[in-house]
Amino acid sequence: MGKIIAIANQKGGVGKTTTTINLGASLAAEGKKVLIIDADPQANATSGYGINPDQMSSSIYECLVDDYPLEGSQVPTCVEGLELVGSRIDLAGAELELISRPNRERVLSKVLAPVADKYDYILIDCSPSLGLITVNALTAANSVIIPVQAEYFALEGITKLINTIRIIKPRLNPALEIEGFLLTMYDARLRLANQIYEELKGHFGDMVFNTVIPRNIRLSEAPSHGLPALVYDPESRGATSHNALAKEIINKQKKKAKATSK
């Protein structure tokens, strides 16, 4: 069964979608079969791969609300081995439509179950909220990556997300783990950025990824071309840092599998 990772932080502008787009491409470049679920009504992960939401036959909205099968809703991307289930603005109304459903927090889990074995990694790009769709993502996921912006208010909001995870674990998903805290938009020249990294390490220790994602012009430009940085400029720091992150995640999973097999 593939590993399902939610990329979540209710604080906006911390790099969730950038992480999803580029980590997905880097995992695929490592030979992994990857599916991205765009669970954000803004559909930035969809457009970031150059896919027009209006030209999709179905989106994650239809899968959640209208019981469309996920199989057949995937679209290919410019990266071999990577597929995407896109989003549209109508996903914003899905929470109201799901509110009266039985087991409403498990709808996404049910949607993903038939295809989970087909992929090595399923990445869910969450919206900047802790609403029902994000709760669905955390209930469906094996783990969560929490991007943290290297700025003054970086740690603001992390407590709320951790509290949400603590609520979800016993009630909905006992296996949910924090995959790691990922420092994004990092500028090593700034004392504040280094202080935030040290503060994260002090609070969360090994739960902080060794890889940091730097501020990088090519990384910022790539989505406007409908490409991940790995395709847009493979030599850029934005691309190489996400390659390092992919390797770190794969190696962490190998070590865990080895430890549990003993």
Side-chain angles (χ1 to χ4, degrees):
M1 183 175 172
K3 183 166 192 178
I4 303 172
I5 303 176
I7 291 91
N9 189 333
Q10 78 277 12
K11 195 173 188 317
V14 298
K16 288 186 296 294
T17 301
T18 299
T19 299
T20 306
I21 291 170
N22 291 286
L23 175 58
S26 294
L27 287 168
E30 290 292 316
K32 304 300 181 183
K33 190 154 176 55
V34 181
L35 177 67
I36 289 176
I37 305 290
D38 189 348
D40 186 346
Q42 295 176 82
N44 290 333
T46 304
S47 61
Y49 267 102
I51 296 160
N52 184 342
D54 296 329
Q55 293 177 352
M56 299 183 305
S57 60
S58 58
S59 69
I60 193 63
Y61 171 84
E62 283 82 11
C63 296
L64 292 172
V65 174
D66 298 326
D67 298 319
Y68 276 45
L70 197 76
E71 187 65 71
S73 297
Q74 312 100 317
V75 293
T77 69
C78 56
V79 178
E80 186 179 351
L82 190 150
E83 296 176 330
L84 178 138
V85 176
S87 180
R88 295 194 186 104
I89 190 63
D90 51 8
L91 184 63
E95 300 207 356
L96 286 174
E97 295 178 73
L98 292 174
I99 201 79
S100 60
R101 284 256 194 115
N103 290 319
R104 63 193 180 192
E105 300 91 353
R106 301 184 188 275
V107 177
L108 183 56
S109 297
K110 185 180 173 184
V111 165
L112 290 176
V115 303
D117 288 336
K118 295 182 63 175
Y119 299 95
D120 297 304
Y121 290 94
I122 297 175
L123 306 181
I124 307 172
D125 183 29
C126 298
S127 64
S129 75
L130 292 178
L132 185 55
I133 301 298
T134 298
V135 169
N136 262 265
L138 294 173
T139 302
N142 304 115
S143 64
V144 54
I145 291 174
I146 304 172
V148 181
Q149 189 177 0
E151 291 193 355
Y152 181 70
F153 293 111
L155 301 180
E156 188 181 275
I158 287 180
T159 305
K160 286 183 183 176
L161 180 57
I162 291 172
N163 285 341
T164 301
I165 291 168
R166 284 176 180 155
I167 292 167
I168 287 171
K169 269 180 74 82
R171 297 181 187 180
L172 297 167
N173 187 1
L176 181 64
E177 298 178 344
I178 294 176
E179 187 74 25
F181 294 87
L182 176 67
L183 197 63
T184 62
M185 306 178 201
Y186 178 76
D187 187 340
R189 297 169 300 176
L190 300 178
R191 184 188 300 173
L192 179 61
N194 292 299
Q195 285 175 345
I196 289 166
Y197 183 74
E198 292 304 319
E199 197 167 338
L200 269 178
K201 274 287 191 185
H203 273 89
F204 301 110
D206 291 342
M207 293 166 70
V208 181
F209 286 110
N210 294 322
T211 305
V212 297
I213 308 301
R215 284 195 178 275
N216 180 247
I217 295 296
R218 306 301 269 174
L219 189 60
S220 301
E221 290 173 348
S224 65
H225 296 269
L227 298 169
L230 187 66
V231 177
Y232 181 64
D233 186 349
E235 302 302 318
S236 66
R237 288 169 65 231
T240 56
S241 61
H242 282 95
N243 290 344
L245 176 63
K247 289 183 173 75
E248 190 173 345
I249 288 169
I250 292 167
N251 289 336
K252 183 179 176 182
Q253 192 172 357
K254 282 179 182 174
K255 284 179 185 175
K256 189 172 181 182
K258 194 174 179 180
T260 53
S261 67
K262 286 181 180 178

